[in-house]
């Protein structure tokens, strides 16, 4: 029996070793090795209209048995009788081969791995995406891809089996919104608002996230980073999804561009009971195929009423009168009910929170989906059912991704559809029917899911689903073990008891237990405001590190060079950091230090030379602001950064007054946007952007209304056409590639130091060590909270980790590997005060980078309208009239940085440290 053979894989090796174990297992069970490889590493068949029907049926049949091994791979394989190789579906690994006149095959990742005289080469070629090369030693012949796969595809009548047994939900569904379903979704305003409050909606979230998706079929853009507390430090009840950061690719494998590479992307998934992996029968493809995971009302109704796939609905609410401790008990009951239902033959488990009311509280969807998924795995029942969640608390793209990543097969976000009846249209916007808005919303959500998958280089939802491609911040180990097994967690923290209290707090907002004051109209209900996206001055809203009082104080300090104003700013800002960031939990061990006189500490002028400004491109900010930053940094001996927007040639030479307007750091991101030879040689530092803090794993966005005149000319692009760059260096699939680019840049400008920009995540230290071995001179570890450019809100809020984690890991990894002396470390991400700089230095950074704060010193008031071209102070706009409002001066940035340097120097004196390097 199969039970005697497990475990197939020991679970302690790499992804490659797991693949090797499964290939060995399936080959030993009787399948030809080429058949096994076609199962495990299939071509991108879903969108390939030119593929033969036989081959398509083969892949579709086997997709019902096995998820594809996704990601860059040149796989060589043999069973002793045959030798072959195949490329991944994207062709992200090179595979080149020679066939010699004496019938030898030489295959390698590059041409020239083995020297062969040209006279000895009969044929040379390369493997293409998803294609296979096979040598059959018994038949003494080379079998090419087309003939090989045609032969395998005819082993069984796969097309007939698929046609008779596979159920495609798209072929069965009713209209998106029939009259009865429409009536069900239309609620009176008071009832609607209460339900939305229960699931964490606010005016901002609805107006900035949900409504734009319903109107425009796309997520909305944001800007200026994320300056609210980590979820584990927030004073507001937060959805468990907020505790997770999306994984992303940098250096070791490439991110994918989901727009330009749409032909290899797929959301199609078979769901429902699976059969014995070692056999092939018609029943093996008797599964339900979903083209997309987020269901509309018609598709959901069709799914739960499918003949032959009995569904079982489980209530995931609990009685608030039993207290918060009861939520965990109810979770265990739901898990047991799910496993009992599957054991009794139910094919679809529907977890539903629709039964919530004044006394019943819904369990957070991500908690219960994760818990049931893990419980069914432990009971060896997970492959016997589909897991569907019918929930009200999934309406953001990130929340949908967390549900999919931790085990959901399909999602019915019914509250999101209810809420669309509240979408309001301006006079210039065409009115839409509810059914059309639902479809638009689904299109936007699915595009967002593809974008999140592609950040890590994953092409198919089958590979992403249940893989847990997230990192947790601030969850207890018990929560991880119960609901999110295997997910990396950087620090402990919140337990199920806290989530139960948060659920009760949300429930109390919807159904308040207190009597309302007599002047309050009981018939009027409106959203509470939580201030997650914009600062709100009312009580019980989210903190923001860029607080208006903080902005006013630092601008006064910068304009008047006032130490008193700066001290007030620093005290206020540090108090905010204490409540928002990990470093707020740090405390300097002053009682263990011997203070020294401040005169013994190195000068402020020497300290500020370690400062740089972040990569803010010309185009995202105005020419005046861009030049002011460059002039200020050149005066103090620091460095400003062009960003990925290029730099106009007239700035390479000193101005009429001898002022240096040239940015010392030139950024290179996929070689686009103004990267020329002249650009490269006019640099003191060349920075390779492998990822960026605001949106790791994806490229920048510059709306068309900002691509005008000189900006379009500098970027070598078309005026008025929006620029969505591919993920930075999405053609980088290994450390060796990064090393090659480092070498190329050193040849382009031997005088410049070469820097590589990475974003903080668990494992960044290993990547950094490889890049240092690739001869980089400088490393920037960027935090997730910074970023000034435009990006989707999903990326701004939910990707990357705090710089404290990445910097500490990188420093320690380099020390352990004897590499620390070979590189200079820098960090950035909402660094604002001297105390922040000192913390960065103590964690290993020789240099620090400021982005948001220098813009604030120049006059930024954090309107977060950068992407709209309507910045009222002329900083992040290309509008000629608005640019006239710019009043910033290089002296303002210079004053601010010197005041920071003075604070650093004072803390160094308290610590008894004379030099920054110490």
């Amino acid at each position: 029996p199969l039970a005697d053979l497990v475990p197939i894989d020991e679970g302690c090796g790499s992804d490659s070793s797991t693949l090797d174990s499964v290939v060995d297992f399936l080959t030993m069970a009787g399948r030809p090795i080429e058949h096994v490889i076609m199962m495990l590493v299939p071509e991108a068949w879903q969108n390939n209209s030119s593929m033969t029907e036989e081959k398509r049926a083969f892949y579709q049949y086997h997709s019902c048995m096995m998820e594809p091994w996704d990601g860059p791979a040149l796989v060589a394989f043999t069973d002793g009788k045959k030798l072959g190789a195949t490329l991944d579906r994207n062709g992200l690994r090179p595979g080149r081969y020679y066939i010699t006149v004496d019938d030898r095959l030489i295959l390698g990742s590059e041409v020239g791995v083995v020297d062969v005289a040209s006279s000895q080469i009969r044929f040379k070629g390369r493997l293409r995406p998803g294609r296979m090369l096979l040598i059959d030693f018994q038949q003494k012949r080379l079998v090419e891809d087309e003939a090989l796969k045609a032969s395998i595809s005819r082993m069984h009548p796969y097309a007939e089996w698929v046609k008779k047994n596979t159920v495609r939900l798209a072929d069965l569904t009713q209209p998106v919104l029939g009259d009865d379903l429409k009536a069900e979704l239309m609620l009176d305003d008071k009832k609607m608002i209460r339900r939305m409050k229960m699931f964490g909606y606010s005016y901002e979230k609805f107006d900035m996230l949900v409504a734009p998706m319903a109107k425009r079929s796309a997520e909305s853009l944001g800007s200026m980073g994320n300056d609210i507390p980590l979820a584990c430090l927030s004073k507001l009840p937060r959805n468990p999804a907020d505790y997770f950061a999306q994984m992303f690719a940098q250096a070791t494998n490439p991110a994918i561009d989901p727009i330009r590479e749409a032909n290899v992307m797929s959301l199609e998934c078979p769901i429902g009971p699976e059969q014995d992996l070692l056999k092939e029968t018609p029943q093996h493809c008797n599964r339900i195929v979903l083209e997309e995971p987020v269901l509309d009302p018609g598709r959901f109704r069709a799914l739960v009423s499918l003949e032959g796939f009995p569904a079982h609905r489980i209530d995931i609410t609990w009685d608030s009168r039993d207290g918060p401790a009861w939520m965990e008990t109810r979770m265990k009951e739901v898990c047991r009910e799910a496993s009992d239902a599957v054991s009794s033959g139910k094919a679809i488990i529907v977890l539903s929170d629709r039964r919530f009311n004044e006394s019943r509280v819904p369990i957070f969807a991500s908690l219960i989906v994760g818990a049931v998924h893990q419980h069914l795995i432990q009971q060896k029942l997970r492959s016997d059912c589909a897991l569907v969640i019918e929930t009200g608390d999934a309406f953001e793209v990130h929340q949908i991704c967390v549900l999919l990543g931790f085990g959901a097969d399909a999602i019915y976000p019914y509250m999101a559809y209810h809420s669309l009846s509240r979408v309001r249209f301006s006079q210039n916007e065409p009115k839409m029917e509810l059914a059309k808005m639902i479809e638009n919303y689904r299109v936007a959500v699915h595009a967002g899911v593809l974008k999140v998958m592609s950040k890590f280089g994953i092409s198919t939802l089958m590979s992403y689903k249940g893989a847990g491609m997230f990192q947790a911040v601030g969850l207890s180990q018990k929560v991880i073990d119960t609901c999110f097994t295997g997910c990396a967690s950087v620090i402990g923290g919140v337990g199920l008891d806290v989530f139960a209290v948060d659920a009760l707090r949300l429930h109390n907002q919807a159904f308040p237990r207190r009597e309302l004051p007599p002047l309050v109209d009981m018939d009027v209900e409106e959203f509470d405001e939580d201030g997650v996206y914009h600062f709100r001055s009312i009580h019980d809203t989210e903190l923001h590190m860029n607080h208006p009082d903080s902005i006013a104080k630092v601008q006064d300090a910068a304009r008047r060079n006032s130490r008193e104003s700066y001290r007030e700013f620093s005290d206020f800002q540090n108090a905010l950091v204490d409540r928002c960031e990990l470093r707020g939990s740090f405390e300097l061990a002053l009682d263990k230090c011997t203070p020294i006189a401040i005169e013994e500490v190195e000068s402020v002028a020497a300290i500020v030379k370690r400062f740089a400004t972040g990569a803010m491109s010309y185009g995202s900010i105005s020419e005046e602001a861009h030049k002011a930053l460059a002039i200020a940094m050149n005066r103090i001996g620091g460095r400003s950064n062009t960003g990925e927007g290029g730099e106009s040639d007239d700035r390479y030479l000193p101005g009429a007054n001898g002022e240096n307007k040239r940015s010392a750091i030139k950024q290179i991101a996929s070689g686009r946007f103004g990267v020329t030879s002249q650009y490269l040689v006019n640099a003191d530092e060349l920075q390779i952007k492998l990822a960026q803090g605001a949106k790791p794993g994806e490229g920048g966005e510059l709306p068309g209304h900002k691509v005008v005149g000189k900006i379009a000319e500098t970027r070598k692009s078309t005026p008025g056409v929006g620029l969505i760059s591919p993920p930075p260096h999405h053609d980088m699939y290994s450390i060796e590639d990064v090393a090659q680019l480092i070498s190329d840049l050193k040849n382009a400008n031997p005088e410049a130091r070469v820097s590589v920009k990475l974003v903080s995540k668990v494992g960044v230290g290993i990547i950094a060590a490889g890049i240092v071995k690739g001869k980089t001179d400088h490393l920037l570890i960027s935090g997730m909270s910074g970023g000034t450019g435009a990006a989707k809100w999903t990326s701004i809020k939910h990707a990357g980790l705090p710089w404290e984690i990445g910097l500490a890991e990188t420093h320690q990894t380099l020390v352990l590997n004897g590499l620390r002396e070979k590189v200079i470390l820098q960090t950035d991400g909402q660094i604002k005060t001297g105390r922040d700089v000192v913390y960065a230095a103590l964690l290993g950074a020789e240099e620090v980078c400021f982005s948001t704060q220098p813009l604030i010193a120049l006059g930024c008031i954090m309107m977060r309208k950068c992407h709209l071209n309507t910045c009222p102070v002329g900083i992040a706009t290309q509008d000629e009239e608005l640019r006239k409002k710019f009043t910033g001066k290089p002296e303002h940035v210079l004053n601010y940085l010197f005041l920071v340097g003075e604070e650093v120097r004072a803390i160094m004196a308290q610590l008894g440290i004379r030099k920054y390097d110490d």
Side-chain angles (χ1 to χ4, degrees), residues 287-305:
R287 301 187 73 195
I288 309 161
V289 175
L290 303 183
E291 292 184 343
E292 297 153 330
V294 178
L295 306 176
D296 60 37
R299 284 177 169 85
F300 177 70
R301 175 179 286 186
L303 177 64
V304 298
S305 57

Side-chain angles (χ1 to χ4, degrees), residues 207-243:
D207 193 55
M208 294 175 63
L209 301 182
V210 178
M213 290 195 282
K215 290 179 179 180
R216 299 189 289 273
S217 303
E219 289 183 85
S220 55
L221 291 175
S223 52
M224 294 307 291
N226 182 32
D227 64 346
I228 65 172
L230 295 167
C232 56
L233 299 177
S234 175
K235 63 181 180 181
L236 300 182
R238 299 283 287 271
N239 191 295
D242 293 343
Y243 289 74

Side-chain angles (χ1 to χ4, degrees), residues 72 93 248-255 456 690 732-736 738 758 761 763-764 766-768 770-771:
R93 290 275 195 256
F248 53 91
Q250 52 183 355
T252 52
N253 68 292
F456 198 69
L690 289 178
M732 291 279 165
Y733 55 81
S734 67
I735 297 292
E736 291 78 12
V738 181
L758 301 172
K761 68 173 186 176
V764 72
I766 297 172
I767 296 170
I771 290 173

Side-chain angles (χ1 to χ4, degrees), residues 230-418:
L230 295 167
C232 56
L233 299 177
S234 175
K235 63 181 180 181
L236 300 182
R238 299 283 287 271
N239 191 295
D242 293 343
Y243 289 74
F244 293 96
Q246 298 159 11
M247 295 281 281
F248 53 91
Q250 52 183 355
T252 52
N253 68 292
I256 298 173
D257 183 339
I259 298 173
R260 295 170 179 86
E261 300 174 71
N263 61 314
V264 300
M265 307 291 292
S266 175
L267 293 176
E268 183 171 293
C269 277
I271 68 172
E274 300 178 37
Q275 304 295 320
D276 186 347
L277 186 60
L278 302 183
K279 299 177 182 178
E280 291 193 5
T281 69
Q283 193 63 23
H284 277 67
C285 58
N286 184 216
R287 301 187 73 195
I288 309 161
V289 175
L290 303 183
E291 292 184 343
E292 297 153 330
V294 178
L295 306 176
D296 60 37
R299 284 177 169 85
F300 177 70
R301 175 179 286 186
L303 177 64
V304 298
S305 57
L306 267 179
E307 185 178 349
F309 296 90
H312 179 75
R313 191 183 299 249
I314 302 177
D315 175 34
I316 58 170
T317 66
W318 50 287
D319 197 323
S320 61
R321 293 166 295 189
D322 292 328
W326 189 255
M327 188 186 81
E328 183 177 356
T329 302
R330 180 63 189 142
M331 288 176 66
K332 293 177 180 177
E333 291 176 352
V334 169
C335 289
R336 285 195 296 270
E337 185 176 346
S339 57
D340 290 345
V342 176
S343 298
S344 67
K346 300 298 182 183
I348 301 173
I349 301 299
V350 181
L351 306 176
S352 176
D353 57 25
R354 272 190 180 273
R355 286 187 58 192
F356 83 91
N357 54 35
E358 290 86 348
S359 61
R360 296 200 67 80
V361 184
I363 302 170
F364 286 112
S366 49
L367 290 180
I368 195 61
V369 164
V372 171
H373 177 68
Q374 294 301 328
H375 175 74
L376 292 176
I377 289 173
Q378 292 165 9
Q379 299 298 313
K380 296 183 173 57
L381 295 171
R382 183 63 186 89
S383 61
D384 294 336
C385 69
L387 186 58
V388 180
I389 177 73
E390 178 186 21
T391 182
D393 81 354
F395 54 91
E396 299 179 29
V397 169
H398 178 68
Q399 294 166 346
I400 299 289
C401 290
V402 169
L403 290 173
L404 293 170
F406 289 111
D409 285 312
I411 302 160
Y412 180 50
Y414 67 87
M415 198 64 239
Y417 301 149
H418 279 302

Side-chain angles (χ1 to χ4, degrees), residues 672-782:
R672 290 162 171 84
F673 302 153
V675 177
T676 64
S677 294
Q678 190 173 10
Y679 176 84
L680 296 176
V681 299
N682 282 283
D684 301 325
E685 179 179 315
L686 296 170
Q687 185 179 86
I688 301 168
K689 181 172 75 170
L690 289 178
Q692 66 187 89
K695 42 187 175 288
E698 59 181 293
E701 298 194 30
L702 191 67
H705 49 249
K706 297 183 81 171
V707 186
V708 295
K710 198 173 179 181
I711 291 153
E713 180 185 339
T714 301
R715 290 178 175 241
K716 308 293 187 289
S717 60
T718 305
V721 176
L723 300 174
I724 304 177
S725 65
H729 294 290
H730 74 311
D731 49 353
M732 291 279 165
Y733 55 81
S734 67
I735 297 292
E736 291 78 12
D737 268 358
V738 181
Q740 182 62 57
L741 181 55
I742 292 169
S743 175
D744 291 344
L745 293 179
K746 288 186 174 182
N747 284 314
N749 186 347
E751 303 300 320
R753 76 178 183 184
V754 176
S755 173
V756 176
K757 181 175 184 179
L758 301 172
V759 172
S760 176
K761 68 173 186 176
V762 174
V764 72
I766 297 172
I767 296 170
I771 290 173
V772 173
K773 291 176 183 178
K775 302 295 192 295
T776 189
D777 305 308
H778 183 271
L779 272 175
L780 167 57
I781 306 298
S782 190

Side-chain angles (χ1 to χ4, degrees), residues 20-283:
D20 187 57
S21 298
V22 176
V23 170
D24 191 39
F25 170 67
L26 294 177
T27 304
M28 296 294 287
R31 283 189 178 94
I33 193 167
E34 61 270 32
H35 184 159
V36 172
I37 296 298
M38 286 179 67
M39 283 178 62
L40 301 183
V41 191
E43 297 178 58
W45 58 273
Q46 291 93 338
N47 303 316
N48 187 349
S49 58
S50 63
M51 183 176 288
T52 66
E53 205 58 43
E54 287 180 334
K55 195 201 294 187
R56 179 186 299 279
F58 172 90
Y59 285 130
Q60 185 170 349
Y61 176 87
H62 287 89
S63 72
C64 295
M65 303 169 64
M66 175 67 68
E67 299 88 351
W69 246 263
D70 206 354
L74 167 58
V75 179
F77 55 87
T78 183
D79 61 358
K81 300 175 183 177
K82 298 170 186 173
L83 174 67
T86 190
L87 280 192
D88 62 274
R89 64 192 284 126
N90 303 316
L92 294 174
R93 290 275 195 256
R96 297 184 178 273
Y97 62 92
Y98 292 157
I99 298 176
T100 65
V101 294
D102 57 351
D103 290 335
R104 285 183 298 160
L105 172 71
I106 302 170
L107 173 72
S109 59
E110 305 289 344
V111 172
V113 173
V114 177
D115 292 328
V116 181
S118 58
S119 61
Q120 296 298 305
I121 299 173
R122 186 190 338 155
F123 180 81
K124 57 184 176 182
R126 66 182 179 89
L127 284 174
R128 299 181 181 276
R131 301 299 173 84
M132 189 182 295
L133 183 70
L134 185 77
I135 295 176
D136 189 322
F137 291 120
Q138 292 181 326
Q139 297 183 16
K140 298 182 180 181
R141 68 187 185 100
L142 185 147
V143 188
E144 294 189 354
D145 179 85
E146 188 174 342
L148 169 68
K149 290 179 178 175
S151 173
I152 295 295
S153 299
R154 298 188 187 112
M155 290 179 65
H156 293 292
Y158 295 117
E160 181 183 338
W161 289 357
V162 167
K163 184 177 180 179
K164 288 184 176 179
N165 295 283
T166 302
V167 179
R168 299 192 69 87
L169 191 65
D171 297 337
L172 304 175
T173 51
Q174 307 165 16
V176 171
L177 200 62
D179 291 339
D180 55 338
L181 289 172
K182 185 175 181 179
E184 179 185 316
L185 290 179
M186 301 298 288
L187 301 173
D188 68 80
D189 215 41
K190 182 176 179 180
K191 186 180 291 186
M192 176 84 73
I193 292 294
R194 283 197 166 188
R195 291 188 175 200
M196 293 173 75
K197 284 182 179 181
M198 176 68 258
F199 292 112
Y201 283 78
S202 67
Y203 177 79
E204 272 189 333
K205 290 176 181 176
F206 178 72
D207 193 55
M208 294 175 63
L209 301 182
V210 178
M213 290 195 282
K215 290 179 179 180
R216 299 189 289 273
S217 303
E219 289 183 85
S220 55
L221 291 175
S223 52
M224 294 307 291
N226 182 32
D227 64 346
I228 65 172
L230 295 167
C232 56
L233 299 177
S234 175
K235 63 181 180 181
L236 300 182
R238 299 283 287 271
N239 191 295
D242 293 343
Y243 289 74
F244 293 96
Q246 298 159 11
M247 295 281 281
F248 53 91
Q250 52 183 355
T252 52
N253 68 292
I256 298 173
D257 183 339
I259 298 173
R260 295 170 179 86
E261 300 174 71
N263 61 314
V264 300
M265 307 291 292
S266 175
L267 293 176
E268 183 171 293
C269 277
I271 68 172
E274 300 178 37
Q275 304 295 320
D276 186 347
L277 186 60
L278 302 183
K279 299 177 182 178
E280 291 193 5
T281 69
Q283 193 63 23

Side-chain angles (χ1 to χ4, degrees), residues 501-522:
V501 171
D502 281 352
L504 286 171
R505 290 174 66 187
L506 288 171
H507 187 263
N508 194 47
Q509 290 177 13
F511 304 102
R513 289 163 178 76
R514 66 185 185 282
E515 291 188 11
L516 295 175
L519 295 180
V520 174
D521 187 344
M522 293 291 290

